[in-house]
Structure formats: structure tokens, C-alpha cells
């Protein structure tokens, strides 16, 4: 039963110091409220996975696990991330799913090796300005969070390739998003965004499905590298002929009511 599992794990944790070369640890379906501090006896740990548990807190000195490269937290009771996470100088990937955390500590901006950050279905409400320091970040996923605004510092992430904002509370994008010169994918589906700023011309995929747009934003006209566009479940009434000037556009997913209104210039595109 659960109590027996907790006791077994607690006893095992007392011997973590014997596993100095352990690289990966997965803990799942164990109902203890805090991650045992004994985990700090694993100095060479590179991947830590915690899932389907009642863990609500991390050791205060969690940042001493300085060889960690990947964190995977799924369905925990965790409400706060210790600021010491900023000491995980080799961390490259953060995957946080179904957590209770409402904010990320400013110290996340100290993790300049981060390549992927995911806050999927978390209670997250704000993104710290310090995120602009993550100069090696390639992917940012904020799906199903309560985030309402993005800091302008986000536009300093010159290596960012994927920005996923599905089902967030966003109503506007940062005005300088055009500066993300490597950005290839932007997903705004199921948001309340009604207008777009100038977008980076590097975009390959743009998803506006389930948004309130009534017409196709003119900013799309300059996206010469665009290959895929999704406007399903929008209120867009017609497709402008300038879409035919986007020579790399190969696929458009459109509302059903537009199927009979496809301009002749777009007949070579898959719908």
C-alpha cells in the first residue's frame, strides 16, 4: 500500500550516497509531501523525473544538484519552485506538467544553458522578465496556463524556434516579437488574441485556430517563408488573394464556411 511504499523509499533514500554515479532517477506514484533531502547525495544526477505524486515542496538546497540537465515534473502538488533552481547551471530541459505553481522564480533567468522550457497545464500566471536572459532557449511552451501577458524581454530570445501559447489567457503579443529572427512556429490557438504585431519573417508555421479573428491579419502577407497556416474555427469571412504571393505556402486549414470561397490563385494549396 501507499504507506509501505513511502517507508521503502524513505529507507532507500538513506543509501543514496552509495549511488554516486547515478545519472537518472524516476519517482512515481509515491505519496510523500516533500522530496527527501537525501536526493542531494546524488551529485552526478543528470535527469530527474517526478510524477503522479503528492510532492508539494523541494529541498531548499535543490540547486546543489549541479549536474542536472533535465527536470520532468508531472502531476505534483508543487506550488513553488525554490529559487535555488537558478544554481542548476547545466540544466537544458524543463518539462513541468500539471503543477500548482503560479509563478516562476526570477532565478530561472540564470539558467543560460536552457534549450526547452515547458509549463503545460500549470497554474502559472506570470513569466519573469529574467526569461530574456535565456539566450540559448529554442522552445517555450505555455499551453493551458493562466498567463495573460508576456514580458518584452521575451523578444531577446534570438535563438527561439517554437513558441506555443495554446489556451493561455493572452490577448496581445509583445510588440517586438519580430526580433525573434529564428522563430519558426507560433501557436496561438484557443487564445483571445484579436490582432498581430509585425511577425518575424522566419515563420514557417502559424496557428490561429479557435481565435476571434474576423479577417486574415495583413501582417501575414510578409511571411514569405510560411508553409502552414491554420485558421479553423475563426470568423474569417474570406481569403485574400495576396495569400497567393506566399510561394512557400503549402497547406491552409480553413473554416468549413470558406471551402467554396477559395480564390483561384490558391488552387495549388492543400486545404
Amino acid at each position: 500500500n501507499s504507506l509501505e511504499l513511502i517507508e521503502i523509499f524513505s529507507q532507500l533514500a538513506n543509501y543514496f550516497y552509495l549511488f554516486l554515479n547515478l545519472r537518472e532517477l524516476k519517482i512515481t506514484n509515491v505519496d510523500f509531501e516533500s522530496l527527501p533531502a537525501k536526493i542531494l547525495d546524488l551529485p552526478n544526477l543528470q535527469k530527474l523525473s517526478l510524477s503522479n505524486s503528492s510532492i508539494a515542496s523541494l529541498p531548499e538546497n535543490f540547486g546543489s544538484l549541479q549536474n542536472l540537465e533535465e527536470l520532468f515534473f508531472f502531476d505534483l502538488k508543487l506550488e513553488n519552485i525554490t529559487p535555488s533552481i537558478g544554481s542548476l547551471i547545466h540544466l537544458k530541459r524543463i518539462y513541468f506538467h500539471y503543477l500548482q505553481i503560479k509563478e516562476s522564480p526570477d532565478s530561472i533567468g540564470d539558467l543560460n544553458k536552457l534549450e526547452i522550457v515547458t509549463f503545460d497545464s500549470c497554474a502559472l500566471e506570470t513569466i519573469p522578465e529574467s526569461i530574456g536572459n535565456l539566450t540559448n532557449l529554442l522552445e517555450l511552451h505555455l499551453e493551458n496556463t493562466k498567463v495573460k501577458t508576456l514580458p518584452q524581454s521575451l523578444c531577446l530570445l534570438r535563438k527561439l524556434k517554437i513558441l506555443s501559447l495554446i489556451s493561455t489567457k493572452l490577448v496581445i503579443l509583445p510588440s517586438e516579437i519580430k526580433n525573434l529572427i529564428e522563430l519558426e512556429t507560433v501557436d496561438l490557438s484557443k487564445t483571445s488574441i484579436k490582432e498581430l504585431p509585425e511577425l518575424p519573417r522566419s515563420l514557417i508555421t502559424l496557428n490561429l485556430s479557435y481565435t476571434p479573428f474576423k479577417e486574415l491579419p495583413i501582417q501575414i502577407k510578409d511571411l514569405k517563408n510560411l508553409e502552414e497556416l491554420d485558421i479553423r474555427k475563426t470568423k474569417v469571412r474570406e481569403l485574400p488573394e495576396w495569400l497567393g504571393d506566399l510561394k512557400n505556402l503549402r497547406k491552409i486549414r480553413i473554416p468549413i464556411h470558406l471551402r467554396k470561397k477559395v480564390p483561384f490563385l490558391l488552387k495549388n494549396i492543400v486545404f
Side-chain angles (χ1 to χ4, degrees), residues 1 4 8 23 32 84 125 132 181 217 239 250 256-257:
N1 60 34
E4 289 176 342
I8 291 172
R23 298 290 191 270
F32 45 81
S84 70
E125 296 178 353
I181 57 176
L239 296 177
R250 295 291 177 265
I256 294 176
H257 67 269

Side-chain angles (χ1 to χ4, degrees), residues 10-265:
S10 297
Q11 292 180 15
L12 178 61
N14 290 326
Y15 297 96
F16 275 172
Y17 70 93
L18 297 175
F19 303 98
L20 295 180
N21 293 316
L22 190 68
R23 298 290 191 270
E24 184 171 350
L25 177 62
K26 296 182 179 180
I27 302 173
T28 186
N29 295 311
V30 179
D31 292 328
F32 45 81
E33 293 183 0
S34 60
L35 187 65
K38 291 290 184 180
I39 198 173
L40 304 179
D41 292 337
L42 301 173
N44 292 304
L45 197 63
Q46 294 179 351
K47 295 183 180 182
L48 176 61
S49 175
L50 308 176
S51 61
N52 303 107
S53 299
S54 298
I55 296 173
S57 64
L58 302 175
E60 187 174 341
N61 295 325
F62 185 72
S64 65
L65 294 171
Q66 293 198 0
N67 284 307
L68 272 178
E69 295 182 1
E70 179 176 307
L71 289 178
F72 179 88
F73 292 175
F74 180 90
D75 194 16
L76 309 178
K77 303 299 182 183
L78 201 61
E79 294 184 359
N80 296 291
I81 300 296
T82 171
S84 70
I85 193 176
S87 297
L88 301 177
I89 57 175
H90 295 293
L91 199 60
K92 294 180 179 179
R93 297 172 294 277
I94 290 178
Y95 302 103
F96 290 166
H97 303 264
Y98 296 94
L99 306 183
Q100 304 303 313
I101 54 177
K102 293 184 178 181
E103 60 182 9
S104 172
D106 288 338
S107 60
I108 195 173
D110 297 331
L111 304 175
N112 57 21
K113 289 190 178 181
L114 270 181
E115 296 176 354
I116 299 174
V117 172
T118 297
F119 288 96
D120 176 22
S121 302
C122 295
L124 193 72
E125 296 178 353
T126 61
I127 300 296
E129 284 284 343
S130 62
I131 198 170
N133 297 331
L134 304 180
T135 54
N136 288 301
L137 196 65
L138 301 176
E139 300 182 18
L140 179 59
H141 299 263
L142 301 175
E143 298 94 339
N144 299 297
T145 62
K146 298 179 181 180
V147 173
K148 295 180 179 179
T149 60
L150 297 175
Q152 286 290 344
S153 63
L154 179 79
C155 302
L156 299 174
L157 305 178
R158 299 300 177 90
K159 293 185 179 180
L160 194 68
K161 292 185 177 295
I162 297 176
L163 179 59
S164 182
L165 304 169
I166 303 170
S167 295
T168 59
K169 303 299 182 182
L170 282 171
V171 295
I172 192 170
L173 290 176
S175 59
E176 298 302 313
I177 195 173
K178 62 184 179 183
N179 293 332
L180 301 179
I181 57 176
E182 297 289 333
L183 195 60
E184 295 179 352
T185 299
V186 172
D187 198 330
L188 303 176
S189 60
K190 299 182 180 179
T191 66
S192 297
I193 291 178
K194 298 179 180 180
E195 58 184 39
L196 297 178
E198 183 178 348
L199 297 171
R201 301 190 180 189
S202 54
L203 270 190
I204 293 175
T205 302
L206 178 60
N207 191 340
L208 301 177
S209 62
Y210 297 86
T211 58
F213 282 98
K214 295 182 178 180
E215 57 185 32
L216 213 55
I218 190 65
Q219 291 84 353
I220 295 176
K221 185 177 182 180
D222 296 322
L223 303 180
K224 302 303 183 183
N225 292 304
L226 195 66
E227 295 180 8
E228 294 189 20
L229 176 63
D230 192 340
I231 56 171
R232 289 171 300 150
K233 298 293 182 178
T234 63
K235 298 180 181 180
V236 174
R237 294 184 293 271
E238 61 181 1
L239 296 177
E241 292 196 1
W242 53 253
L243 273 180
D245 297 330
L246 301 180
K247 302 304 181 182
N248 289 308
L249 192 60
R250 295 291 177 265
K251 184 176 182 180
I252 308 179
R253 305 184 75 177
I254 61 175
I256 294 176
H257 67 269
L258 285 181
R259 293 292 174 88
K260 296 181 179 180
K261 299 181 179 181
V262 178
F264 174 76
L265 292 175

